[in-house]
Amino acid sequence: MKKKIIGIFAVLILAGAAGLFSGYKWLQSYAETALTIQQDAYFTLPAGTGRVGLAQLLVDKKIVENIKPFPWLLRAKPELAGFKAGTYKLTPGMSIKDLLLLLRSGKEAQFSIRFIEGLKMQDWLQLLAEAPYINQTLKNLNNSDIAERLEINDPKHPEGWFYPDTYNYTAGTTDISLLKRAHERMKATVDEVWLGRAENLPYKTPYEMMIMASIIEKETALDSERDKVASVFINRMRIGMKLQTDPTVIYGMGSQYNGNITHKDLATPTDYNTYVINGLPPTPIAMPSVASLKAAAHPANTPYLYFVADGKGGHTFTTNLQSHNQAVRSYLQILRAGK
């Protein structure tokens, strides 16, 4: 009788062990089940979400089809629990196990935004407003408000004060924090370029150098020309000649600019119209690149006082008005021939 009872217990134990093994294998198989997504997707896990909440989110977002074994999986494999809040990038072929390991790692999805040199502050604000997963805090703020939040005080205008580059961020990053990163980099860059500038330049402050750099940025996209363009404006400043650069007129016109500049526009006074005012405009007119900052700090040594587009992507530089007018006529002939 004893032997029979022992045998029965042995069978039950073996059966239980087999059941446990079978259940474990089943959960392992479930963990390796692929997510139902067919393309890259972003999944946001809010702070404070527990196991039940996570399971419900995965069903609602159609990321996992069968969620019933999910609680058992987390009990059997506690190393897959302990997930962290954030926004994560999911890719086709990922398994439930891959998903849980990703959520536990805290390696949130990285997004990027490219701030382009030569654009204005308003253009950058538009890029920020359209970028995904950014916490928008700058709506309805004007330039003065933004300058105040970034502690830009003299003058209280943010134009030009941001370093053009691609910036990575995670979901929930604020727009102001991205601008602050760009601002800190630009401040450091301007200070560095200013310290290494050439001697006897007609700038009183690093800010004036940055204003000049913004004009150079708008006048040419060719690195080989930047220092020549800088030399023209430096030469003009040294002899008291007006800068007479169209991009400053356009900036001063603001929303009134429709793509064309008329003689009336050139003669209409604004704070930025360098056909009317003497010297530099009061602020930058765009975000300058490092190349333009360096050109402003190290202009070429030339006798040039004029330049005009040559119709081939570059410019013709001249020393006197007569030669300049001839270069203008040549450019106009190229334009007419191309029509």
Side-chain angles (χ1 to χ4, degrees):
M1 187 66 179
K2 270 187 176 182
K3 288 183 179 180
K4 188 174 182 181
I5 292 173
I6 291 172
I8 292 172
F9 273 122
V11 169
L12 290 174
I13 289 170
L14 288 173
L20 287 173
F21 180 74
S22 176
Y24 183 78
K25 292 290 289 183
W26 175 67
L27 287 176
Q28 270 193 323
S29 176
Y30 176 74
E32 298 300 333
T33 302
L35 305 181
T36 58
I37 58 174
Q38 302 300 314
Q39 58 187 10
D40 289 354
Y42 291 98
F43 174 70
T44 299
L45 182 65
T49 304
R51 298 182 180 193
V52 175
L54 171 59
Q56 190 61 50
L57 277 173
L58 293 175
V59 171
D60 293 344
K61 300 294 183 182
K62 295 180 170 44
I63 294 172
V64 176
E65 188 173 5
N66 179 14
I67 210 66
K68 289 182 179 179
F70 194 76
W72 295 102
L73 175 63
L74 294 181
R75 288 191 184 97
K77 289 183 171 290
E79 69 273 15
L80 298 180
F83 28 82
K84 300 172 184 175
T87 296
Y88 299 87
K89 184 177 181 180
L90 309 182
T91 57
M94 287 181 69
S95 66
I96 294 174
K97 178 182 177 181
D98 294 332
L99 165 65
L100 290 171
L101 288 174
L102 178 62
L103 298 183
R104 183 179 179 179
S105 73
K107 294 179 181 177
E108 293 189 64
Q110 292 287 318
F111 303 91
S112 64
I113 184 169
R114 185 183 173 214
F115 291 142
I116 304 169
E117 62 272 11
L119 295 185
K120 298 184 297 183
M121 182 68 192
Q122 291 304 314
D123 300 321
W124 282 28
L125 291 176
Q126 186 63 35
L127 288 172
L128 280 168
E130 296 172 355
Y133 293 97
I134 286 180
N135 182 4
Q136 305 290 342
T137 67
L138 298 175
K139 290 180 180 179
N140 303 320
L141 295 185
N142 57 33
N143 281 336
S144 180
D145 294 330
I146 295 171
E148 183 175 355
R149 291 186 64 177
L150 292 167
E151 299 180 356
I152 301 173
N153 298 316
D154 187 23
K156 201 172 181 179
H157 196 294
E159 192 72 80
W161 268 120
F162 304 95
Y163 191 98
D165 203 353
T166 298
Y167 293 85
N168 294 325
Y169 64 94
T170 55
T173 298
T174 62
D175 43 17
I176 195 70
S177 67
L178 283 167
L179 286 181
K180 188 167 186 177
R181 284 165 58 189
H183 176 53
E184 294 298 327
R185 285 187 67 187
M186 183 56 92
K187 281 198 303 181
T189 301
V190 169
D191 288 344
E192 181 182 352
V193 174
W194 176 256
L195 288 174
R197 71 191 184 282
E199 296 180 353
N200 301 319
L201 295 176
Y203 312 131
K204 296 177 183 177
T205 64
Y207 189 62
E208 290 188 351
M209 180 188 71
M210 186 166 67
I211 294 172
M212 176 64 80
S214 74
I215 296 173
I216 297 167
E217 190 68 46
K218 296 299 292 184
E219 285 287 8
T220 183
L222 297 179
D223 285 345
S224 59
E225 283 191 348
R226 294 180 198 267
D227 60 345
K228 289 182 184 177
V229 171
S231 75
V232 170
F233 294 130
I234 294 295
N235 290 340
R236 288 189 170 200
M237 290 179 72
R238 282 173 172 157
I239 64 175
M241 183 178 175
K242 288 184 173 64
L243 297 185
Q244 295 181 322
T245 167
D246 291 356
T248 62
V249 178
I250 294 170
Y251 190 86
M253 291 174 67
S255 60
Q256 294 181 343
Y257 177 65
N258 61 8
N260 295 303
I261 302 178
T262 66
H263 289 294
K264 180 181 178 182
D265 295 327
L266 297 180
T268 300
T270 72
D271 291 341
Y272 291 86
N273 187 346
T274 53
Y275 284 82
V276 176
I277 66 172
N278 292 311
L280 293 165
T283 75
I285 59 171
M287 306 297 178
S289 63
V290 175
S292 289
L293 283 168
K294 291 180 176 179
H298 298 277
N301 184 14
T302 77
Y304 300 137
L305 288 172
Y306 302 89
F307 65 92
V308 67
D310 60 10
K312 303 173 185 177
H315 293 84
T316 299
F317 294 83
T318 51
T319 61
N320 58 78
L321 186 58
Q322 183 178 356
S323 299
H324 174 65
N325 288 337
Q326 179 57 50
V328 171
R329 287 192 290 270
S330 298
Y331 173 60
L332 292 175
Q333 287 175 357
I334 292 173
L335 288 183
R336 295 189 191 102
K339 290 184 178 181

